[in-house]
Amino acid sequence: MGLTLETGVERLPGIGPARARSLAKLGLETVGDLLRYYPRSYEDRRRMSEIASAPEGLPVCLRVTVTAPARFSRVRKGLELVKVELADDTGVLTATFFNQGYLREVLHTGESYICFGRVELAGHRRVMTNPVLEPVGKARFTGRILPIYSLTHGVSNNLLAGLTLRCVEECAGLAPEIIPQPVRLAHSLAEAEFACRNIHFPADEMALEGARRRLIFEELLCLACGMALLRHRRDREAGIPFQLAPRAGFLSLLPFQLTGAQLRVMGEMEADLASGTPMNRLIQGDVGSGKTMLAAYGAWLAAQNGYQCALMAPTELLAEQHYRTLASLLEGAGLRVGLLTGAVKGKARKALYAALEAGEMDLVIGTHALLSEGVAFAKLALVITDEQHRFGVGQRAALSAKAKGRPHVLVMSATPIPRTLSLVIYGDLEVSVVDELPPGRSPVATYVVGEDKRQRMYNFVRRLVGEGRQAYIVCPAVEEGEEDGQAMDLKAAVTYAETLRTQVFPDLRVGLAHGKMKSKEKDAVMTAFAAGELDVLVSTTVIEVGVDVPNAALMVVENADRFGLSQLHQLRGRVGRGKHQSYCVLVTSTRGQDSRERLRVLSKTTDGFKIAEEDLRLRGPGDFFGSRQHGLPQLGIADLAGDMRVLKEAQGAAEELLAADPELCRPEHRPLLERVRQLFSQQGDMFN
Ligand code: ADP
Ligand code: MG
């Protein structure tokens, strides 16, 4: 059977419809998919030894002969044993297998096998439990570095390793060389075929390193090229030039003076908006740094020019909060401001649609509801998204598509991304940073405590509540895609809330919010908390993007070691929004000095960028590329990469390539362009 990259997995030996379905759950439908499904880690099964000299407890391969027929016994229901005597020139060994009864039939006396496992001593006898046995000469999973893949129900590592081995043997040579030759040579990168072979079945450590480096480079190169192509295309589009109006008109609306950082970013926005090319700007700034005022400025400027502005927020509550703030601010300047969420129905909704279409509304604030079919604008010129990591790039594009021509785009994010990464992650956007908090904020006092201080933590909650304050208690994140883990974490929050309610704080008002609740219920709980009807809110990280509760003065995070520092910082931003001194208590049961040290970074600084840099240094860029950045294409291997140098090299290479061939349309760049298109294919119509 001749395999190609397009061959469906169901055509591979041993794969029936059921297994094909399980493989599809991992996104594996073709031989090409298998080859691009990179191992999560490796097990070194190369070390050969002899029975007498094998180091106790360390994994080794032995070349052995079966000296007597296997013995079978059923200890009890569900527990079967097979025992086999093995020998080499130096000694004898008893191998015990649990629940692998079929071995009786396949192990033959007198035959030789490679046996991989750990030799243990039982009295004077040497034994092995559940070793891997393969006939000499037919070894596939022993005597080499074995890939370990991420699995799913119905797909074992042996199955996957067997499949990739087959595919690598037949098809590694078909892996397309997408890196242009001069780039490959300039950066000493391995060839595609070599990388494909050695990422799955590395000949040795050096070969693995070479394969890895090349594949990471390849992926980051595609990402950088894709982002640059997007930017290039936009830069050539005509924007809607705004006339600048005297700032004083806007500033006089505000009850406070803007910070230096806010004023600087206003200047950056002005330059974009007046330039004649569309603005594509990201505003990054810690929670509480005052990004909303910058959105207000954009909306005000648009209105001065007779244009409309739309602001999209990820939740109804947040949209409502923005609506209240911005309406009271901007209506003073004569702007007509509307709110569009799922809750706006019937006549009210119709009236809103009509006003937008007739140009009788200057600013509309809303949720995804803004993307509804019925929403049309007379003169939309500025699209703003808040907490942009909650939106896909596609959704941003969908809102922009409601404008006639190319609107200006402003995205606001409270997730600081280290500069080195923001080029890749937000490569299609200019970045502004609001790196200054409004005056008069006292930093949130942050403590890292162990389980032994739990009682004191509870007492502290009680004391603050006694003073009239409110507290959040956050349990570990519900990981996306991990179904089992999700159920467990969810249960943790639910049962924990129950314990707190009935045993720890029976006299306090304890509420619960988590991601699996209907958003109505969730919003009801959050609203009750904001209204001061609850003392303690137990939740998962759903509160990360939340409404302002100035009276909340304490954030407790359970199992804090399971979060990234940036995420903890984000959570901490939920408190300290009012006039009260606020606190953050990070509870961890880990004894590891390293992870405690990591958490202590938070008690030492409140600078989100420093914290992000620290996250990057300690945990690598995976967190930043992870599921929280929904705008990005899914990466296969760069997720795992900790090497910033490769990132910079790939970045530089992309810049050079595009400087010479801005659209990647030269024939030698075709394969690269194809891959970039593929990588971004889930991102909607960006590349049409
Ligand atoms: P974020 O950047 O998290 O979106 P917000 O825009 O919600 O921050 O601002 C947080 C709070 O700070 C709001 O109550 C806002 O009114 C207030 N604020 C914003 N800018 C200033 C300023 N320059 N001086 C004083 N208070 C400010
Ligand atoms: Mg905000």
Side-chain angles (χ1 to χ4, degrees):
M1 178 175 67
L3 296 181
T4 70
L5 297 178
E6 284 75 39
T7 306
V9 289
E10 70 286 346
R11 306 244 332 262
L12 296 170
I15 304 300
R19 276 188 170 162
R21 271 196 304 277
S22 299
L23 287 168
K25 276 198 239 152
L26 296 171
L28 304 175
E29 292 176 355
T30 64
V31 168
D33 293 339
L34 280 167
L35 290 178
R36 302 254 295 274
Y37 192 67
Y38 304 127
R40 167 169 69 74
S41 62
Y42 300 86
E43 183 172 62
D44 192 347
R45 297 185 171 183
R46 285 173 303 173
R47 181 174 178 152
M48 291 298 295
S49 187
E50 295 180 320
I51 291 178
S53 59
E56 201 184 329
L58 291 183
V60 289
C61 290
L62 306 170
R63 193 195 154 110
V64 293
T65 306
V66 173
T67 56
R71 281 161 291 142
F72 174 81
S73 58
R74 177 171 281 124
V75 181
R76 55 181 153 75
K77 199 160 175 263
L79 182 59
E80 298 172 354
L81 288 187
V82 172
K83 280 186 188 261
V84 188
E85 299 304 325
L86 306 170
D88 66 8
D89 293 342
T90 69
V92 297
L93 174 90
T94 306
T96 306
F97 299 87
F98 290 98
N99 293 334
Q100 300 178 57
Y102 67 93
L103 284 173
R104 269 181 301 173
E105 323 296 337
V106 298
L107 294 179
H108 301 295
T109 310
E111 279 184 15
S112 297
Y113 295 86
I114 301 293
C115 172
F116 171 80
R118 295 163 199 271
V119 177
E120 308 282 355
L121 281 178
H124 291 296
R125 294 180 319 123
R126 289 171 194 278
V127 299
M128 257 192 191
T129 309
N130 287 334
V132 180
L133 275 188
E134 293 186 308
V136 169
K138 292 193 193 155
R140 300 197 304 157
F141 300 144
T142 56
R144 61 163 20 129
I145 300 177
L146 191 80
I148 310 289
Y149 299 96
S150 296
L151 305 173
T152 187
H153 189 69
V155 180
S156 69
N157 199 60
N158 273 358
L159 174 70
L160 260 187
L163 289 176
T164 45
L165 183 59
R166 173 78 197 269
C167 296
V168 165
E169 278 167 353
E170 271 196 55
C171 298
L174 301 177
E177 183 52 86
I178 63 156
I179 304 185
Q181 174 97 335
V183 176
R184 202 171 62 68
L185 296 178
H187 295 273
S188 318
L189 299 169
E191 289 179 20
E193 175 175 356
F194 176 94
C196 177
R197 249 176 227 295
N198 285 283
I199 198 66
H200 291 287
F201 294 93
D204 53 38
E205 281 91 349
M206 279 254 294
L208 174 58
E209 197 35 51
R212 237 174 125 75
R213 185 162 163 277
R214 180 218 145 96
L215 292 170
I216 291 170
F217 188 100
E218 171 181 315
E219 206 157 56
L220 294 171
L221 178 72
C222 289
L223 190 59
C225 283
M227 292 295 191
L229 283 177
L230 283 179
R231 186 197 288 236
H232 177 76
R233 289 192 185 183
R234 281 190 198 147
D235 283 352
R236 295 195 318 176
E237 281 173 298
I240 305 163
F242 282 12
Q243 298 288 328
L244 299 181
R247 276 188 188 181
F250 174 70
L251 296 179
S252 66
L253 302 170
L254 307 180
F256 40 67
Q257 298 225 302
L258 291 185
T259 63
Q262 284 170 315
L263 291 169
R264 192 186 66 236
V265 176
M266 275 169 68
E268 290 163 355
M269 290 167 61
E270 285 165 357
D272 288 348
L273 293 167
S275 72
T277 43
M279 170 167 79
N280 279 292
R281 187 164 288 279
L282 167 73
I283 299 182
Q284 285 195 298
D286 266 350
V287 235
S289 58
K291 295 183 291 292
T292 317
M293 289 306 129
L294 297 165
Y297 182 56
W300 178 81
L301 209 50
Q304 302 311 304
N305 282 269
Y307 289 112
Q308 293 171 302
C309 170
L311 167 64
M312 184 161 68
T315 68
E316 275 191 17
L317 282 181
L318 209 52
E320 284 162 13
Q321 179 180 304
H322 281 323
Y323 173 71
R324 279 192 302 272
T325 312
L326 296 178
S328 68
L329 193 77
L330 296 171
E331 280 170 0
L335 267 72
R336 295 156 298 180
V337 184
L339 172 69
L340 178 58
T341 65
V344 181
K345 296 205 170 82
K347 267 192 190 155
R349 193 165 181 128
K350 272 213 182 104
L352 194 75
Y353 282 5
L356 285 174
E357 196 157 4
E360 287 158 8
M361 182 163 291
D362 303 297
L363 167 61
V364 63
I365 296 158
T367 54
H368 298 92
L370 290 171
L371 305 176
S372 315
E373 222 171 281
V375 178
F377 293 86
K379 297 175 291 181
L380 178 63
L382 173 60
V383 166
I384 307 178
T385 52
D386 192 15
E387 306 292 356
Q388 80 93 215
H389 66 277
R390 300 273 155 161
F391 291 111
V393 177
Q395 284 170 316
R396 230 198 286 154
L399 187 51
S400 294
K402 293 191 178 282
K404 304 185 178 78
R406 270 282 288 138
H408 298 290
V409 172
L410 188 67
V411 300
M412 304 192 290
S413 170
T415 315
I417 303 289
R419 230 168 240 300
T420 34
L421 287 184
S422 73
L423 270 173
V424 178
I425 291 182
Y426 295 125
D428 63 325
L429 300 167
E430 311 292 328
V431 181
S432 290
V433 178
V434 195
D435 48 6
E436 188 184 344
L437 290 184
R441 302 268 173 85
S442 51
V444 178
T446 302
Y447 305 94
V448 180
V449 305
E451 275 301 321
D452 51 320
K453 302 255 171 39
R454 176 166 293 282
Q455 197 50 49
R456 275 177 65 183
M457 182 271 279
Y458 288 148
N459 293 345
F460 191 54
V461 173
R462 190 178 289 286
R463 200 185 94 205
L464 284 181
V465 170
E467 290 169 9
R469 304 285 82 73
Q470 291 163 281
Y472 293 100
I473 302 185
V474 173
C475 298
V478 173
E479 293 276 306
E480 273 168 58
E482 273 187 19
E483 278 172 35
D484 295 350
Q486 189 163 330
M488 215 176 70
D489 282 341
L490 182 57
K491 186 158 163 288
V494 172
T495 51
Y496 184 48
E498 208 37 50
T499 312
L500 289 179
R501 195 178 278 150
T502 55
Q503 291 165 34
V504 186
F505 303 126
D507 49 331
L508 303 186
R509 299 164 302 172
V510 179
L512 170 68
H514 58 74
K516 291 277 123 171
M517 280 161 88
K518 291 213 182 74
S519 54
K520 256 206 188 122
E521 294 172 43
K522 197 169 62 196
D523 285 359
V525 177
M526 302 242 214
T527 308
F529 186 70
E533 290 157 16
L534 294 170
D535 302 307
V536 177
L537 180 59
V538 182
S539 81
T540 55
T541 50
V542 292
I543 58 147
E544 189 179 57
V545 174
V547 288
D548 253 337
V549 184
N551 191 46
L554 173 60
M555 167 65 61
V556 176
V557 184
E558 298 280 355
N559 292 100
D561 44 285
R562 289 179 49 181
F563 296 88
L565 295 181
S566 294
Q567 201 179 7
L568 289 170
H569 178 60
Q570 183 100 356
L571 286 169
R572 173 168 68 174
R574 293 287 106 215
V575 297
R577 313 196 119 219
K579 53 185 182 298
H580 313 285
Q581 169 62 50
S582 296
Y583 306 87
C584 174
V585 179
L586 305 172
V587 185
T588 168
S589 53
T590 166
R591 304 238 163 273
Q593 270 310 310
D594 285 356
S595 61
R596 288 235 178 163
E597 219 33 61
R598 188 172 75 86
L599 292 175
R600 284 214 183 86
V601 170
L602 285 165
S603 45
K604 288 183 203 136
T605 178
T606 54
D607 179 338
F609 283 91
K610 259 197 206 144
I611 290 167
E613 293 285 355
E614 197 61 18
D615 245 354
L616 179 63
R617 198 176 66 76
L618 293 169
R619 302 194 358 153
D623 278 9
F624 299 98
F625 284 124
S627 57
R628 295 179 56 203
Q629 305 297 334
H630 290 296
L632 270 190
Q634 203 61 46
L635 299 182
I637 193 167
D639 285 9
L640 313 170
D643 195 338
M644 292 304 297
R645 269 177 320 200
V646 185
L647 185 65
K648 285 187 189 147
E649 276 187 49
Q651 193 96 45
E655 269 166 32
E656 272 175 41
L657 275 176
L658 290 156
D661 181 12
E663 304 260 316
L664 293 182
C665 53
R666 288 192 198 154
E668 67 270 28
H669 296 155
R670 265 289 132 111
L672 176 60
L673 181 62
E674 277 310 305
R675 178 69 64 78
V676 172
R677 283 216 171 105
Q678 242 174 45
L679 187 65
F680 281 78
S681 63
Q682 279 95 36
Q683 309 308 119
D685 56 4
M686 307 170 73
F687 268 94
N688 294 338

